[in-house]
């Protein structure tokens, strides 16, 4: 029994299952009770990260709503291997935060990047207040001043390095790499986007009233638009689970709004020589699993197509396009490897994918050794870099770049001109 084809998908299905998640939560709660510990939510704050600016705006309300101990940590920023292109990441982050702030009627940053001296001053203030009961209030005010370009209050000389080093160690030991993150009982919630998951969990545990989340989940419009001529460029990878979660949804969105969808597959980051630390991979898998559960998208029986599987799939892009079934083939490939455990590196697995797309396997086999796809993929990767992005899924609409499967509302806003 080949391990990759039969065993690994079943293991992945167990690791991403709701049953294992429930068991882990029960074990965490039992451990807390045995140790007689309070309900602790840890929060990691990076002064220079615009996403942390946004989370700082909700900390006070979060603390007011829930009967938990909010334990803050000050960190120095993500490790270098977590951000392949730090400048592109920051540039996208500030644009994204401004979009989020507008969408959720939150205060928006007024500058794109605070200067080094202001960041150092903010770090000193927050390091001095890290153990204060009203840290949430301090963080909100300091972040507001920092990201508006206002003068920060003077502070006695405080060296924040010890506090930040301790925060960095705690973040790494707990199993994450980004600021703006919350951790509760073994699970992670990044930024205001995933805060609703944490709130739901705390409400189910009886630690707060069952009310609407502080930051709601954006919904797409129900009605169709009929203005033609718009187009959406969609950058994705067969090896990206987030691309899989976005694929059918972006097809439906562009169809409803009469927009042309241009598919631009790229190589996975590892096949482009970009680092993907294990902490990042682990978080992505767990986050995709809960997003898939929420949206009722099949997910979990995984057969990683990295390497040969991706190459064989991309070798058939031109064939599928020539048959007028490129979207169907891409959709079948990703659902096959991320939900059904099909091994695209084998003829048995790839033939099932091809047939599901409505293609003839016998005809497709002639293209398996084709190399023309390399120029297509390279051009897409160059274009992705030109528009200031590096990862997938990404979108380009009307000269604007958007990153993330959870930003389809922003794509729709650009298509409809509503924001």
């Amino acid at each position: 029994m080949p391990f990759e084809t039969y065993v690994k998908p079943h293991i992945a299905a167990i690791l991403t299952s709701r049953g294992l998640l429930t068991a882990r939560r029960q074990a965490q709660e039992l451990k807390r009770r045995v140790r007689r510990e309070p309900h602790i939510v840890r929060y990691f704050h990076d002064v220079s990260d615009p996403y942390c600016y946004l989370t700082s705006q909700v900390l006070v309300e979060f603390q007011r709503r829930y009967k938990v101990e909010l334990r803050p940590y000050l960190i120095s920023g993500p490790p270098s291997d977590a951000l392949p292109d730090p400048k592109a990441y920051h540039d996208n982050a500030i644009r994204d935060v401004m979009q989020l702030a507008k969408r959720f009627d939150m205060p928006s940053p007024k500058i794109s990047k605070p200067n080094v001296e202001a960041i150092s001053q903010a770090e000193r203030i927050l390091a001095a207040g890290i153990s204060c009961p009203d840290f949430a209030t301090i963080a909100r005010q300091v972040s507001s001043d920092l990201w508006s370009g206002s003068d920060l209050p003077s502070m006695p000389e405080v060296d924040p390095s010890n506090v930040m080093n301790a925060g960095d160690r705690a973040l790494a030991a707990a199993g994450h790499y980004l600021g703006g993150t919350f951790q509760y009982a073994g699970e992670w919630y990044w930024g205001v986007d995933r805060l609703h998951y944490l709130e739901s969990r705390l409400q189910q545990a009886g630690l707060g009233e069952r009310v609407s989340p502080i930051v709601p989940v954006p919904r797409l419009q129900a009605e169709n638009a009929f203005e033609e001529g718009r187009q959406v460029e969609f950058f994705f990878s067969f090896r990206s689970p987030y691309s899989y979660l976005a694929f059918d949804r972006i097809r439906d969105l562009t169809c409803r709004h009469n927009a042309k969808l241009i598919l631009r597959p790229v190589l996975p980051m590892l096949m482009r020589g970009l680092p993907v630390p294990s902490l990042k991979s682990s978080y992505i898998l767990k986050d995709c699993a809960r997003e898939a559960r929420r949206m009722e998208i099949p997910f979990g029986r995984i057969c990683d197509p990295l390497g040969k599987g991706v190459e064989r799939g991309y070798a058939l892009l031109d064939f599928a396009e020539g048959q007028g079934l490129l979207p169907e083939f891409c959709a079948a490939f990703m659902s096959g490897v991320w939900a059904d455990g099909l091994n695209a590196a084998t003829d048995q697995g790839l033939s099932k994918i091809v047939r599901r797309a409505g293609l003839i396997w016998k005809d497709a086999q002639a293209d398996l050794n084709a190399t023309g796809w390399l120029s297509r993929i390279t051009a897409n990767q160059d274009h992705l870099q030109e528009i200031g992005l590096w990862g997938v899924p990404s979108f380009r609409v009307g000269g604007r770049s958007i990153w993330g499967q959870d930003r389809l509302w922003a794509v729709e806003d650009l298509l409809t001109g509503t924001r």
Side-chain angles (χ1 to χ4, degrees):
M1 179 181 290
F3 183 75
E4 292 290 333
T5 301
Y6 297 105
V7 180
K8 219 170 180 181
H10 289 288
I11 294 175
I14 293 170
L15 292 177
T16 57
S17 68
R18 188 185 296 273
L20 183 59
L21 176 66
T22 300
R24 282 173 170 166
R25 288 182 173 181
Q26 290 171 345
Q28 287 283 346
E29 176 59 14
L30 178 61
K31 185 194 304 184
R32 185 196 67 80
R33 291 182 178 181
V34 169
R35 294 178 177 179
R36 297 183 178 180
E37 293 176 338
H39 292 273
I40 298 170
V41 173
R42 299 203 281 177
Y43 168 68
F44 295 85
H45 190 84
D46 174 6
V47 166
S48 63
D49 186 343
Y51 289 112
C52 289
Y53 158 79
L54 214 55
T55 51
S56 73
Q57 304 303 302
V58 303
L59 288 179
V60 172
E61 177 61 15
F62 177 81
Q63 207 167 20
R64 184 192 70 80
R65 285 189 179 197
Y66 299 103
K67 300 172 185 176
V68 298
E69 178 186 324
L70 184 64
R71 189 172 293 179
Y73 294 81
L74 193 64
I75 64 171
S76 60
S80 57
D81 61 350
L83 300 182
D85 191 334
K87 183 181 184 303
Y89 176 86
H90 178 85
D91 292 345
N92 177 76
I94 190 65
R95 290 193 304 267
D96 190 36
V97 164
M98 288 180 174
Q99 284 185 123
L100 286 166
K102 183 182 292 186
R103 179 76 178 199
F104 299 128
D105 295 321
M106 298 173 68
S108 179
K110 294 182 174 57
I111 59 175
S112 61
K113 190 172 184 179
N115 62 52
V116 174
E117 184 179 342
I119 289 173
S120 296
Q121 179 69 352
E123 289 172 345
R124 289 194 292 271
I125 296 171
L126 293 183
I130 197 71
S131 299
C132 294
D134 59 346
F135 175 85
T137 301
I138 297 170
R140 181 176 62 185
Q141 187 59 55
V142 168
S143 296
S144 296
D145 290 343
L146 179 68
W147 287 92
S148 67
S150 302
D151 292 334
L152 292 162
S154 59
M155 279 286 294
E157 282 303 314
V158 175
D159 183 2
S161 59
N162 288 338
V163 172
M164 294 171 68
N165 288 337
D168 291 342
R169 290 193 299 270
L171 180 64
H176 215 283
Y177 56 100
L178 283 177
T181 48
F182 299 83
Q183 187 203 40
Y184 174 67
E187 292 176 40
W188 288 95
Y189 310 86
W190 178 62
V192 297
D193 289 276
R194 300 297 188 266
L195 188 59
H196 67 93
Y197 285 120
L198 175 55
E199 290 192 76
S200 176
R201 189 175 175 194
L202 296 177
Q203 290 171 15
Q204 290 172 10
L207 298 172
E209 295 181 9
R210 291 182 179 267
V211 294
S212 299
I214 298 170
V215 180
V217 180
R219 305 294 182 187
L220 297 178
Q221 297 177 18
E223 67 274 9
N224 296 344
F226 298 97
E227 179 184 352
E228 297 185 5
R230 297 263 186 170
Q231 68 178 34
V232 177
E233 295 176 81
F234 176 34
F235 298 84
F236 64 96
S237 158
F238 278 177
R239 206 244 172 178
S240 162
Y242 285 131
S243 293
Y244 162 58
L245 295 184
F247 198 88
D248 285 342
R249 293 157 59 221
I250 190 63
R251 287 178 69 194
D252 177 68
L253 178 65
T254 51
C255 180
R256 285 194 296 108
H257 291 294
N258 292 301
K260 180 181 180 181
L261 181 63
I262 301 174
L263 299 178
R264 297 200 182 279
V266 301
L267 281 177
M269 290 176 65
L270 281 176
M271 294 176 70
R272 283 184 270 156
L274 299 175
V276 182
S278 58
L279 291 180
K280 185 174 183 180
S281 297
S282 176
Y283 172 74
I284 287 173
L285 184 63
K286 292 174 183 176
D287 185 53
C288 282
R290 70 182 169 197
E291 284 281 270
R293 280 192 293 269
R294 179 178 64 83
M295 295 183 288
E296 298 182 339
I297 297 174
F299 181 83
R301 292 192 70 237
I302 300 166
C303 190
D304 189 349
L306 181 67
K308 188 178 178 182
V310 169
E311 291 172 354
R312 283 160 57 88
Y314 284 176
L316 297 183
L317 292 174
D318 288 343
F319 168 73
E321 188 167 46
Q323 300 295 311
L325 292 171
L326 179 59
E328 289 77 8
F329 172 67
C330 293
F333 188 101
M334 286 192 281
S335 64
V337 300
W338 292 109
D340 299 322
L342 298 182
N343 189 348
T346 68
D347 284 354
Q348 181 181 9
L350 189 57
S351 65
K352 288 182 180 179
I353 291 170
V354 167
R355 293 188 185 101
R356 288 182 180 185
L359 296 163
I360 299 173
W361 171 242
K362 183 179 178 180
D363 295 341
Q365 285 179 289
D367 286 59
L368 284 176
N369 295 318
T371 58
W373 62 270
L374 284 167
S375 58
R376 176 185 195 146
I377 298 299
T378 300
N380 289 340
Q381 288 164 188
D382 291 343
H383 187 31
L384 182 66
Q385 189 171 11
E386 288 168 4
I387 66 174
L389 294 175
W390 68 100
V392 295
S394 295
F395 310 89
R396 184 75 168 174
V397 187
R400 299 275 296 278
S401 303
I402 298 168
W403 175 44
Q405 65 86 19
D406 47 9
R407 294 296 183 271
L408 294 190
W409 56 265
V411 174
E412 184 173 56
D413 285 349
L414 291 175
L415 286 175
T416 60
T418 55
R419 287 179 184 262

